[in-house]
Amino acid sequence: MKRARAVAAGPGRVRIIAGRLRGSKLAVPDLPGLRPTPDRVRETLFNWLAPTIEGARCLDLFAGTGALGIEALSRGAAQATFVERDPRLAAALRDNLARLGQAGGSVECVDAAAFLRGSATPFDLVFLDPPFADARWTDAATALEAGGWLKPGALIYVEAPADAAPALPPAWTPHREGRAGGVRYALYRRGGAIR
């Protein structure tokens, strides 16, 4: 669940940047501190992912608005699982997926830690962007790695405050990174070849 920045597309809306759903607006509940990943950061991230997104199975672990996972579906991902503990955000996500005709998207209204204790199905791509105040990067990364949630060569996107240094599994090697204001965003590759 992402928290704390204004949405560039206007109050209560996030815009899909490219792909089949380009220009679509996602309705976003008016919740204090909701922080969708900014358009500019999403555009950079998905440029990095362009060679690998087609047909990918994605996990948007702290989904919030779902902008990352829906952008992935728009650009050709086969499937996206959205994990969101807030029932209002989970309901908005389901509504957005239905309105946009995204049958490849499914929403789990559960805390990320509880979800990761479940039965694992490996993903090609994981978006790891927890609420900054919760500082859950290390615990979630450890559970993803140890629980069998990542395919060999999987890509993991991590968004965190620029001054944070989450401890990530040694099998995750930096692939690309950038900064936008007080946010550091990075793409890691899990040991093994990119598919």
Side-chain angles (χ1 to χ4, degrees), residues 84-186:
E84 176 48 57
R85 69 183 176 192
D86 186 303
R88 295 163 295 182
L89 287 169
L93 254 168
R94 287 187 185 103
D95 290 347
N96 282 324
L97 289 167
R99 180 177 53 80
L100 297 171
Q102 296 305 296
S106 62
V107 180
E108 300 288 334
C109 186
V110 64
D111 184 74
F115 177 83
L116 293 174
R117 287 192 296 269
S119 179
T121 52
F123 288 91
D124 301 297
L125 172 61
V126 174
F127 302 107
L128 180 55
D129 180 12
F132 284 6
D134 289 1
R136 297 178 66 185
W137 298 275
T138 299
D139 290 346
T142 301
L144 284 165
E145 183 61 34
W149 293 98
L150 302 171
K151 289 184 178 179
L155 293 168
I156 307 99
Y157 171 74
V158 178
E159 189 173 317
D163 59 355
L168 301 175
W172 296 12
T173 57
H175 182 59
R176 300 266 178 96
E177 76 172 74
R179 290 181 191 264
V183 174
R184 177 182 174 267
Y185 54 98

Side-chain angles (χ1 to χ4, degrees), residues 1-5 29-35 86 88-89:
M1 191 164 66
K2 291 131 181 95
R3 305 265 175 203
R5 181 175 299 135
D30 184 15
L31 296 174
L34 190 64
R35 182 191 54 78
D86 186 303
R88 295 163 295 182
L89 287 169

Side-chain angles (χ1 to χ4, degrees), residues 12-131:
R13 300 275 178 212
V14 174
R15 180 179 61 89
I16 298 302
I17 298 165
R20 295 185 314 268
L21 304 174
R22 180 181 180 177
S24 298
K25 303 278 197 308
L26 306 181
V28 178
D30 184 15
L31 296 174
L34 190 64
R35 182 191 54 78
T37 299
D39 287 5
R40 184 175 61 124
V41 173
R42 275 188 291 125
E43 185 168 13
T44 299
L45 169 63
F46 282 94
N47 286 340
W48 295 344
L49 292 172
T52 58
I53 196 72
E54 188 71 35
R57 290 191 70 245
C58 305
L59 175 62
D60 195 344
L61 190 56
F62 297 88
T65 65
L68 291 170
I70 294 174
E71 189 81 44
L73 289 170
S74 178
R75 294 175 186 241
Q79 191 265 337
T81 299
F82 300 85
V83 178
E84 176 48 57
R85 69 183 176 192
D86 186 303
R88 295 163 295 182
L89 287 169
L93 254 168
R94 287 187 185 103
D95 290 347
N96 282 324
L97 289 167
R99 180 177 53 80
L100 297 171
Q102 296 305 296
S106 62
V107 180
E108 300 288 334
C109 186
V110 64
D111 184 74
F115 177 83
L116 293 174
R117 287 192 296 269
S119 179
T121 52
F123 288 91
D124 301 297
L125 172 61
V126 174
F127 302 107
L128 180 55
D129 180 12

